Amino acid sequence: MGIIEHIGRYFLLLKDTFSRPEKASIYWRRTVEEMDLLGLKSLGIVALLSFFMGAVITIQTKTNIDSPLIQAWVVGFATRQSTILEFSPTIIALILAGKVGSNIAAEIGSMRVKEQIDALDIMGVNSAGYLILPKIVASMFINPFLVMVSMFLSIFGGYVAGTASGIIGSSDYLQGIQTNFIPYHITYALIKTVVFAFIIATVSAYQGYYTKGGTREVGISSTQAVVYSNVVILIVNYALTQFLLI
Amino acid sequence: MIEVKGISKRFGTTQVLTDINAVFQKGKVNQIIGKSGSGKSVLAKCIVGLHVPEEGQVLYEGHSFHDMDRDEKKMIRQEIGMLFQGSALFDSITVMQNVLFPLQMFGTMSKSEMEDRAHSCLKRVNILDKDRLFPAELSGGMQKRVGIARAIAMNPKYLFCDEPNSGLDPQTSILIDDLIKEITEEFNTTTIVITHDMNSVMETGENIIFIHQGRKWWEGSKDDLLNSENKELNEFIFAGGLMRQVKKAMTGRS
Ligand SMILES: Nc1ncnc2c1ncn2[C@@H]1O[C@H](COP(=O)(O)OP(=O)(O)OP(=O)(O)O)[C@@H](O)[C@H]1O
Ligand SMILES: [Mg+2]
């Protein structure tokens, strides 16, 4: 299948996914389960990663701009800006594509090869809607929270690393992270996050839903889910940055 | 009643089914028999619309499934119960939840009525004590039985069972055969059973179709079966010594 056919089939799958649910209450219950599974279960890795990411940004910024001409607070400022604008929304999305995306593709893919999707279809259930829609809604709802936690912990990580190693004073850092704060940057980051969440859930679900064969193919789908989600995220990130920031 | 008219199905370049015509009667256990790989499961999937045949059509009470719109197809499917060859139980939920699933999705019953219904289905397949386990914790034969319980939960008008008694011991196998027969007669169901178990063919078969290399090779009742002159059919049914003895006892010929 060529790329055009894949894109066409992807949009047809989306159309099925968003067609009328059989029973709203069941979809809602599934969405809450998915929030737990896709969102809260990723909190640990997101927190850990963000803390160390912030720490490294601070140390690197300091070592790169170590000049008497540049004021001390700039390190805090730079940490905050790179965290909010890029690191938290994009890096966390890439990490979630790896963790959540592979999980979605493997789950749906193994349901496909074990004929469980056929079993849903045979009952008259809209299998695409039932399996995929809750994952999309849950990801788009929960990922912004994960990213906000990430922002906070990254900036906090920078503070801890900066003050513990003595490269920046506590008050300089705190001054830096409050300087020239533009609330729109948070909005921008959250818009990106929601779009990325949609990409992760749908691209991965697509890979899983059209798995053919057996367990080996489920593995392949799962890998492709991560690769394609990442590629699409990077391209869309570029487009959104251009569109929203300039 | 389900009618199949001139169905052919290919996968890539391999022709799996060729020009199959058949009528599956209401209130009867219709059986599809044939060797492994002859195309039985593919035929069943063509009938329920999981595979789209290149040629031919399937009529449900005279209405072509292919020509129905999405909502009409959905309505038909809510009247279909299907046991898959590999059971296809949802493995992230328990046995009980599997049987409840179609009831919750489409039923109009109250919660306790649904639970009663699921219980009685599990009881009929003799597996009530396993209701809290997950499918992976069951043996293959138990999974089959849960699959049957899920298939009959909605009192389907059309019941498809792909090898309902493979992997079952003779005793449980007879229990399942009897259950399928009972349900078919009780609710006037159009039942299609795929099997290569000659025991259940002799037990429940009323309208039997023999598929050979993707073609309908023979059709008849279980009484015709023993007297058939069809070479491939005879090779199939008399492959085991037991059936030869049955024939001898019943007809005096070998
Ligand atoms: N999805 C598929 N893609 C390609 N070929 C298939 C597919 N499903 C079945 N086939 C082929 O169709 C043929 C018939 O398969 P089918 O599953 O209908 O056999 P069967 O009669 O049910 O056999 P068994 O008794 O072993 O279950 C086989 O040769 C199989 O390789
Ligand atoms: Mg089969």
Side-chain angles (χ1 to χ4, degrees):
Chain A
M1 263 173 85
I3 180 92
I4 302 292
E5 280 170 290
H6 276 292
I7 293 174
R9 200 167 61 158
Y10 168 81
F11 282 106
L12 285 178
L13 181 64
L14 284 189
K15 184 170 157 265
D16 284 348
T17 303
F18 286 99
S19 64
R20 185 164 38 94
E22 281 78 28
K23 222 170 204 178
S25 60
I26 293 183
Y27 273 59
W28 178 241
R29 203 180 60 207
R30 293 247 313 117
T31 306
V32 175
E33 284 167 14
E34 295 292 352
M35 281 183 200
D36 181 43
L37 215 65
L38 304 180
L40 298 181
K41 295 227 156 69
S42 306
L43 195 55
I45 179 85
V46 167
L48 188 73
L49 196 99
S50 303
F51 183 86
F52 285 101
M53 197 168 67
V56 171
I57 296 172
T58 298
I59 295 171
Q60 286 193 347
T61 310
K62 174 66 185 169
T63 52
N64 280 313
I65 61 169
D66 205 7
S67 146
L69 294 176
I70 295 171
Q71 288 177 301
W73 57 263
V74 170
V75 174
F77 174 78
T79 302
R80 186 201 73 206
Q81 284 304 86
S82 31
T83 292
I84 290 179
L85 289 177
E86 200 52 34
F87 280 88
S88 282
T90 310
I91 302 290
I92 295 301
L94 295 176
I95 295 297
L96 289 176
K99 183 171 183 292
V100 172
S102 60
N103 172 302
I104 291 176
E107 183 192 331
I108 297 182
S110 64
M111 288 188 74
R112 167 62 76 195
V113 301
K114 289 191 207 154
E115 296 183 318
Q116 293 172 29
I117 296 185
D118 288 342
L120 285 171
D121 286 333
I122 261 322
M123 289 176 192
V125 176
N126 167 11
S127 58
Y130 177 77
L131 293 174
I132 303 173
L133 189 58
K135 293 187 195 296
I136 299 176
V137 175
S139 300
M140 291 174 75
F141 187 78
I142 208 88
N143 286 15
F145 286 98
L146 291 177
V147 166
M148 285 195 280
V149 169
S150 164
M151 288 173 180
F152 175 80
L153 286 177
S154 172
I155 294 170
F156 179 64
Y159 176 82
V160 172
T163 52
S165 61
I167 57 179
I168 179 170
S170 159
S171 60
D172 286 334
Y173 189 85
L174 292 177
Q175 188 198 342
I177 63 173
Q178 290 169 67
T179 304
N180 272 336
F181 177 65
I182 303 171
Y184 175 71
H185 287 170
I186 301 273
T187 315
Y188 158 81
L190 294 182
I191 291 174
K192 287 214 296 194
T193 301
V194 172
V195 173
F196 295 162
F198 182 82
I199 292 170
I200 295 170
T202 54
V203 171
S204 308
Y206 172 80
Q207 290 296 334
Y209 197 81
Y210 288 108
T211 303
K212 268 207 178 100
T215 38
R216 201 176 74 95
E217 283 77 9
V218 173
I220 294 174
S221 294
S222 171
T223 312
Q224 282 180 338
V226 179
V227 173
Y228 289 125
S229 301
N230 281 344
V231 170
V232 177
I233 285 173
L234 291 174
I235 295 169
V236 170
N237 184 35
Y238 172 67
L240 279 180
T241 307
Q242 178 106 13
F243 181 69
L244 293 172
L245 277 193
I246 297 178
Chain B
M1 187 176 78
I2 299 175
E3 282 168 90
V4 169
K5 287 191 172 166
I7 279 196
S8 297
K9 175 72 194 164
R10 278 192 299 277
F11 290 105
T13 51
T14 24
Q15 188 76 27
V16 176
L17 296 176
T18 314
D19 193 29
I20 305 256
N21 290 285
V23 176
F24 301 104
Q25 310 278 358
K26 192 178 266 189
K28 280 193 179 169
V29 180
N30 303 275
Q31 285 180 326
I32 301 175
I33 60 174
K35 275 201 288 201
S36 178
S38 56
K40 305 181 296 295
S41 298
V42 171
L43 175 59
K45 286 186 181 175
C46 285
I47 298 174
V48 297
L50 286 174
H51 288 323
V52 183
E54 278 79 32
E55 280 159 59
Q57 48 179 344
V58 179
L59 307 177
Y60 283 83
E61 317 299 338
H63 300 289
S64 164
F65 184 78
H66 189 75
D67 295 339
M68 292 178 195
D69 67 27
R70 200 189 163 98
D71 285 342
E72 286 171 323
K73 280 185 182 160
K74 259 189 157 174
M75 292 307 292
I76 288 281
R77 286 187 160 175
Q78 285 170 34
E79 297 179 325
I80 294 177
M82 182 153 182
L83 167 70
F84 285 80
Q85 190 165 358
S87 300
L89 299 176
F90 304 126
D91 45 20
S92 60
I93 55 179
T94 64
V95 164
M96 184 67 176
Q97 287 166 330
N98 262 281
V99 182
L100 279 172
F101 186 90
L103 298 168
Q104 289 169 335
M105 214 63 184
F106 300 108
T108 46
M109 301 179 204
S110 72
K111 196 162 176 258
S112 66
E113 282 171 332
M114 284 186 211
E115 273 162 15
D116 288 348
R117 173 80 195 141
H119 266 117
S120 81
C121 291
L122 286 169
K123 200 167 167 188
R124 288 188 94 157
V125 295
N126 219 352
I127 200 160
L128 194 50
D129 53 328
K130 302 284 188 288
D131 63 341
R132 288 188 188 167
L133 298 184
F134 285 88
E137 298 168 318
L138 302 180
S139 75
M142 290 173 181
Q143 291 180 6
K144 272 266 142 90
R145 285 185 274 160
V146 177
I148 293 176
R150 185 178 69 181
I152 62 175
M154 293 286 283
N155 262 334
K157 236 168 114 177
Y158 311 99
L159 180 61
F160 291 79
C161 297
D162 197 344
E163 306 201 1
N165 35 28
S166 67
L168 297 184
D169 59 279
Q171 246 177 329
T172 317
S173 183
I174 288 172
L175 182 117
I176 296 298
D177 284 341
D178 289 346
L179 170 67
I180 291 172
K181 196 164 180 161
E182 254 170 57
I183 288 169
T184 305
E185 283 163 7
E186 196 176 330
F187 299 104
N188 204 21
T189 313
T190 305
T191 301
I192 298 179
V193 173
I194 295 173
T195 185
H196 26 207
D197 180 38
M198 285 316 294
N199 199 8
S200 68
V201 173
M202 296 313 287
E203 196 71 33
T204 46
E206 292 167 288
N207 174 24
I208 302 163
I209 287 173
F210 173 60
I211 304 280
H212 182 67
Q213 294 179 344
R215 293 170 192 273
K216 188 175 83 177
W217 213 253
W218 181 89
E219 152 171 50
S221 71
K222 64 183 173 196
D223 303 317
D224 307 334
L225 200 64
L226 294 178
N227 298 311
S228 155
E229 300 292 326
N230 190 305
K231 180 169 163 282
E232 285 78 15
L233 178 64
N234 282 331
E235 277 170 12
F236 176 76
I237 53 179
F238 300 118
L242 189 61
M243 282 306 293
R244 282 197 290 273
Q245 287 170 24
V246 169
K247 179 170 178 178
K248 200 164 179 190
M250 286 175 77
T251 63
R253 293 181 285 128
S254 63

